[in-house]
Amino acid sequence: TALRTVEQTRTQTGLSVTARILDATYEIGRTCSDTFRDVKDRFIRHDCVNGQWNYLVDPNGFAC
């Protein structure tokens, strides 16, 4: 149901959404590298109120 709803999304200018469900199993407890954390922190900012759901991605990186 969620996948169908997302795929039916259209903008007023006609852009559509492509979505898929990944049916993969991931190892629990894996940690990411320091390099990845640095890149993530440079390009993704999580909202103070509900950062798990609300975030901003800046492809140019945030000015520090």
Side-chain angles (χ1 to χ4, degrees):
T1 302
L3 183 61
R4 278 196 310 266
T5 302
V6 169
E7 287 182 329
Q8 292 173 355
T9 302
R10 302 282 185 273
T11 66
Q12 292 178 343
T13 59
L15 295 175
S16 61
V17 174
T18 301
R20 65 180 174 181
I21 295 176
L22 297 177
D23 196 22
T25 304
Y26 296 95
E27 180 182 339
I28 295 174
R30 278 183 72 180
T31 58
C32 59
S33 69
D34 291 336
T35 304
F36 176 80
R37 288 179 197 268
D38 178 49
V39 169
K40 177 190 73 69
D41 292 342
R42 206 168 2 147
F43 296 99
I44 300 174
R45 291 285 187 255
H46 294 272
D47 186 68
C48 297
V49 176
N50 193 357
Q52 184 177 8
W53 290 87
N54 301 315
Y55 53 89
L56 177 69
V57 178
D58 183 353
N60 299 313
F62 291 91
C64 295

